[in-house]
Amino acid sequence: MDCIFCQIVAGTVPSEIIYQDDEVIAFPDISPQAPIHLIIIPKKHIPSLAHLSEAESRLMGHMVSIANQLAKREGIFESGYRLVINCGKQGGQLVPHLHMHLLGGRKLPNALG
Ligand code: 5GP
Ligand code: ZN
């Protein structure tokens, strides 16, 4: 298994797991781009948003719901935050395991490229 995020799920690469349930885990980004920068992933290896099946689309709603809960827990729910999913080469995806970034804690710049 050479996927870094699968290794975090398996516990073979250490990370501070700040949330987990049967389907999802969340941990701090190793290279934070904002005071709060968390990564939320499905435990299942799905390479990208483009590989999400219709049957798995409910998972995205669950991940958004977890992101909202974590935004509350991190104290940025009221001030505002951003969820980002990069997909594929031109979408800026570096780690080929579907993930959502939760960013906040500062005024974020326009990020529509
Ligand atoms: P992408 O560009 O694929 O959307 O974002 C991948 C993110 O994963 C980057 O923000 C990067 O800092 C983070 N990342 C890469 N490797 C690791 C790791 O081993 N541990 C953690 N916690 N984050 C990682
Ligand atoms: Zn993976």
Side-chain angles (χ1 to χ4, degrees):
M1 185 213 319
D2 62 1
C3 170
I4 187 76
F5 286 176
C6 280
Q7 289 172 339
I8 289 175
V9 171
T12 51
V13 165
S15 187
E16 183 198 347
I17 305 300
I18 57 157
Y19 173 86
Q20 79 168 307
D21 62 29
D22 287 349
E23 293 180 301
V24 166
I25 68 168
F27 49 87
D29 196 291
I30 204 167
S31 174
Q33 304 300 307
I36 307 296
H37 186 173
L38 303 180
I39 300 285
I40 300 153
I41 67 169
K43 285 183 170 174
K44 178 181 179 188
H45 182 84
I46 300 170
S48 81
L49 204 53
H51 297 78
L52 195 73
S53 71
E54 180 74 28
E56 289 162 337
S57 57
R58 188 199 51 84
L59 182 61
M60 294 310 302
H62 182 54
M63 286 169 66
V64 170
S65 161
I66 298 308
N68 283 339
Q69 282 180 41
L70 291 173
K72 278 185 192 153
R73 198 200 279 181
E74 298 292 333
I76 56 173
F77 190 73
E78 305 295 337
S79 54
Y81 50 97
R82 181 175 292 167
L83 301 181
V84 175
I85 302 174
N86 297 321
C87 179
K89 216 182 228 172
Q90 292 209 338
Q93 183 180 6
L94 296 176
V95 175
H97 181 130
L98 175 62
H99 55 280
M100 186 180 275
H101 299 255
L102 168 62
L103 296 149
R106 69 172 168 87
K107 176 76 175 81
L108 297 166
N110 182 320
L112 298 180

